[in-house]
Amino acid sequence: MQNVVQSQLTIVFEPPFYQAVFERWYQNQYAVARVNCGTVAPKSAVILDLVMYHWDAIHWYQQLDVDTVQDSRRVNPKRLQRLARKAVVNGTSTKAQLALSRQHEDQHATKRIALRDAKQRNQAERFEQRQAKHREKHRRH
């Protein structure tokens, strides 16, 4: 069996920023990533630089066992043009949007847990400092 990695890049304008949405299919695994491109529409050279030299810096959100299998046959160029035109009108795929929203929720939950733990550690440390200060004050009486 041949291992084929399929990728798709969509540039989306979500005011005020342009964002690059990467989608990747590999052996029934689906991964999606979003990269902020700034407030100016990215030029081809910037996109090429991102794909060629910064591909390893992209943080992928992995989704295992995708039901839909991508077709690996060669697609007619006119059909590709129609699909590209349709993608421009419709924007990013629903699957990518769902995966990115799940990624955002997961990051939010982990950040909330980390902040709660840090707050508890900070409160315990402050309590210990107050207790040590209290003991030091009353030590010599």
Side-chain angles (χ1 to χ4, degrees):
M1 183 178 169
Q2 185 180 19
N3 292 330
V4 178
V5 178
Q6 286 186 314
S7 298
Q8 179 177 338
L9 168 64
T10 308
I11 304 294
V12 181
F13 179 67
E14 293 180 5
F17 298 108
Y18 283 91
Q19 296 180 347
V21 178
F22 292 94
E23 295 177 84
R24 178 174 68 183
W25 294 271
Y26 176 69
Q27 292 182 346
N28 293 338
Q29 293 180 349
Y30 176 73
V32 65
R34 182 177 6 200
V35 177
N36 190 357
C37 295
T39 56
V40 179
K43 298 195 180 334
S44 297
V46 173
I47 295 170
L48 183 65
D49 183 59
L50 178 66
V51 171
M52 295 297 291
Y53 302 111
H54 301 289
W55 184 261
D56 55 347
I58 296 173
H59 299 289
W60 295 92
Y61 179 68
Q62 201 94 18
Q63 202 175 21
L64 300 176
D65 297 331
V66 179
D67 295 334
T68 59
V69 177
Q70 291 292 316
D71 194 11
S72 62
R73 316 179 275 191
R74 185 176 179 282
V75 181
N76 189 336
K78 285 189 176 183
R79 182 162 184 79
L80 280 177
Q81 285 180 342
R82 285 196 300 272
L83 290 172
R85 195 175 319 119
K86 183 178 176 185
V88 167
V89 171
N90 295 338
T92 58
S93 71
T94 315
K95 187 183 293 185
Q97 289 172 344
L98 288 174
L100 288 172
S101 66
R102 279 193 211 109
Q103 177 189 17
H104 179 70
E105 291 169 2
D106 292 346
Q107 286 176 345
H108 181 68
T110 55
K111 184 178 177 181
R112 198 171 57 216
I113 291 170
L115 286 175
R116 183 182 64 216
D117 292 344
K119 183 178 178 183
Q120 288 175 350
R121 283 194 307 269
N122 189 15
Q123 285 178 345
E125 184 180 320
R126 285 181 27 221
F127 178 75
E128 289 297 324
Q129 287 175 351
R130 283 197 311 270
Q131 291 297 317
K133 185 176 179 181
H134 180 72
R135 282 192 296 270
E136 186 64 33
K137 274 187 170 181
H138 295 286
R139 185 175 180 190
R140 307 249 158 115
H141 289 280

